[in-house]
Amino acid sequence: MEDPLLKKLTSFMDDYPRHFQILVVSTFIDRVGGTMIQPFYSLYIVQKFGVNMTTIGLLFGLWSISGVIGNMLGGALTDKIGRKTMIVAGLILSATTSILMGVVNELWAFALVSTVVGMLSDIAGPARGAMTTDMLPPERRAEGFGIVRVVGNLAWIIGPALGGLLAGKSYMLVFIADAVASIITALIVIWKIPETKPESTPEQEKESFLDTIKGYGKVAKDGLFLAYVLISMLLITVYSQMYSTLSVFLNQQHNIPADGYGWLMSMNAALVVIFQISITRSTRKKPPMLMMAVATILYGVGFTMFGFVDQYWLFMVSMAVITIGEMVHIPTSSGLVANLAPEDKRGRYNAFAGLSWGIPNIYSTFLAGLVMDNLDPNLVWISAGCI
């Protein structure tokens, strides 16, 4: 018997272009690989190199700085040479560096590889956002990004649980699995998805890459867009703790093992799969900034709870509240960026929007690490609520 949820999603997807459907499937495969290792980076570093959370924060900051650079380069290259080329290049390079992260045995070498990984992992991000925007009409974009989130979270149901099992045997197996998923995704994009970049005008053809980079100046002059990015940085300062600090906090303060954290993340993903499309449909016609404010309140409540509760079922409640915030925030945010971006600057607008994620990641884990190592670790979550 066919699963009714899967049948509903498949029927819903029939309303969308064929190439968008293929993009969604390829995204799922890539995200399964990524979610097998992403939640466990902090634990991997602690266990392999014996460092404290402050050092992990410095490593995450270094990774994020290189990610910001890669993101901005990727946005310009997306508008200059195309979406498909950037996605494929990012996947192949990501697979190579993933293996390298598993084989290095010195902290300095891991830091060096992490810097390269940080740049390459974000270089194709603007291309994915721009390609999704190219494929869909304005009225379908928020919903389309919601679909991408649903399949991404289907991957989160599978990835963390599988990653926890593989990590119990060898972290190297997790890095290999991530690389294989990236290569499979690259092959699908090469064979099945056409380039979607709009045809350039003669003036754009003559534009040098340096001129394309300078186009970020015009992006920064968009007042509404710039305000959105700056406010979102505060939001992501809090949200990013879920993927960096939380696993170590739960392990060290509440003796919750890696698979316990993995199941929390899988629950988060399952809720998105079940409810995301319905929530996006109910919020898509409401003012985007109002919806962002609602999401922020939900994040504040959910993250603050981690500092006051000590039972696993209450951690599950905290995660559920955060997840509702996610389901309002992320599709609304992606649709807003897509509709604000001029056709010839979609890559750069997506890259600039990525700063709202990249810049907080430079400092958020480091600051949380300082608090965890030197003060009451619960203050991380109380501070998150205040922000």
Side-chain angles (χ1 to χ4, degrees):
M1 180 180 291
E2 187 175 10
D3 179 70
L5 180 62
L6 184 60
K7 184 177 180 180
K8 182 179 178 182
L9 180 60
T10 303
S11 175
F12 184 72
M13 282 292 293
D14 287 341
D15 293 335
Y16 286 82
R18 177 67 176 168
H19 290 133
F20 176 72
Q21 295 178 30
I22 297 172
L23 179 64
V24 167
V25 171
S26 65
T27 298
F28 170 73
I29 295 170
D30 185 43
R31 293 309 299 146
V32 168
T35 55
M36 280 194 285
I37 186 60
Q38 186 178 344
F40 304 107
Y41 274 126
S42 296
L43 281 175
Y44 172 71
I45 297 167
V46 167
Q47 292 174 6
K48 182 161 186 175
F49 301 107
V51 298
N52 59 22
M53 273 302 299
T54 304
T55 303
I56 290 176
L58 287 170
L59 286 172
F60 270 72
L62 184 65
W63 195 354
S64 298
I65 290 170
S66 63
V68 167
I69 296 170
N71 184 61
M72 300 302 278
L73 284 173
L77 287 167
T78 294
D79 287 334
K80 185 67 178 172
I81 67 175
R83 288 66 156 132
K84 180 174 179 174
T85 302
M86 291 307 302
I87 291 173
V88 172
L91 287 164
I92 293 173
L93 292 170
S94 175
T96 305
T97 51
S98 180
I99 296 296
L100 286 175
M101 288 184 75
V103 300
V104 296
N105 293 312
E106 299 292 336
L107 184 60
W108 68 266
F110 184 84
L112 180 61
V113 173
S114 293
T115 303
V116 178
V117 169
M119 182 176 293
L120 297 180
S121 64
D122 283 339
I123 202 166
R128 294 189 190 95
M131 180 174 276
T132 301
T133 304
D134 295 338
M135 290 177 171
L136 301 176
E139 67 275 9
R140 304 301 295 271
R141 285 171 185 162
E143 205 165 78
F145 280 108
I147 293 171
V148 173
R149 256 188 66 69
V150 168
V151 299
N153 279 273
L154 276 172
W156 271 106
I157 294 174
I158 300 168
L162 182 57
L165 292 173
L166 291 176
K169 299 179 182 298
S170 168
Y171 274 103
M172 190 63 210
L173 292 175
V174 188
F175 287 112
I176 292 171
D178 180 25
V180 170
S182 294
I183 294 299
I184 292 172
T185 306
L187 293 173
I188 292 172
V189 174
I190 290 169
W191 288 336
K192 295 294 183 179
I193 300 179
E195 178 57 69
T196 64
K197 178 179 176 291
E199 196 163 330
S200 301
T201 64
E203 291 77 14
Q204 291 167 349
E205 289 286 352
K206 294 176 184 176
E207 185 180 75
S208 68
F209 181 62
L210 181 59
D211 290 330
T212 305
I213 291 287
K214 289 179 179 177
Y216 279 116
K218 294 181 180 178
V219 178
K221 291 178 181 178
D222 186 333
L224 175 62
F225 182 66
L226 182 61
Y228 153 78
V229 171
L230 292 174
I231 294 168
S232 292
M233 286 181 186
L234 292 174
L235 184 61
I236 304 307
T237 296
V238 173
Y239 178 76
S240 62
Q241 302 304 323
M242 186 165 74
Y243 297 99
S244 57
T245 312
L246 184 58
S247 62
V248 177
F249 172 80
L250 293 176
N251 182 259
Q252 293 184 348
Q253 302 303 314
H254 299 284
N255 297 315
I256 294 175
D259 60 348
Y261 170 72
W263 285 115
L264 277 179
M265 299 306 294
S266 294
M267 184 198 78
N268 164 276
L271 291 174
V272 172
V273 170
I274 296 168
F275 297 112
Q276 180 67 77
I277 291 174
S278 298
I279 288 178
T280 303
R281 282 182 162 176
S282 66
T283 61
R284 65 182 177 181
K285 294 183 179 179
K286 293 181 171 60
M289 293 302 180
L290 178 61
M291 292 300 96
M292 294 289 285
V294 169
T296 302
I297 292 169
L298 291 167
Y299 282 158
V301 172
F303 281 105
T304 302
M305 281 184 67
F306 283 118
F308 290 95
V309 301
D310 60 0
Q311 297 182 48
Y312 191 79
W313 73 271
L314 288 172
F315 294 138
M316 294 175 69
V317 173
S318 301
M319 184 61 72
V321 174
I322 291 168
T323 304
I324 297 170
E326 265 189 287
M327 289 189 282
V328 176
H329 161 219
I330 295 180
T332 300
S333 172
S334 298
L336 181 65
V337 173
N339 291 332
L340 285 174
E343 186 178 85
D344 65 327
K345 293 183 177 66
R346 284 173 180 164
R348 282 164 288 185
Y349 264 71
N350 275 277
F352 206 95
L355 294 178
S356 65
W357 294 80
I359 290 178
N361 286 334
I362 293 172
Y363 60 79
S364 61
T365 306
F366 173 69
L367 293 179
L370 285 177
V371 173
M372 285 182 64
D373 290 340
N374 299 287
L375 299 170
D376 181 356
N378 291 314
L379 288 175
V380 170
W381 313 107
I382 296 170
S383 299
C386 291
I387 292 172

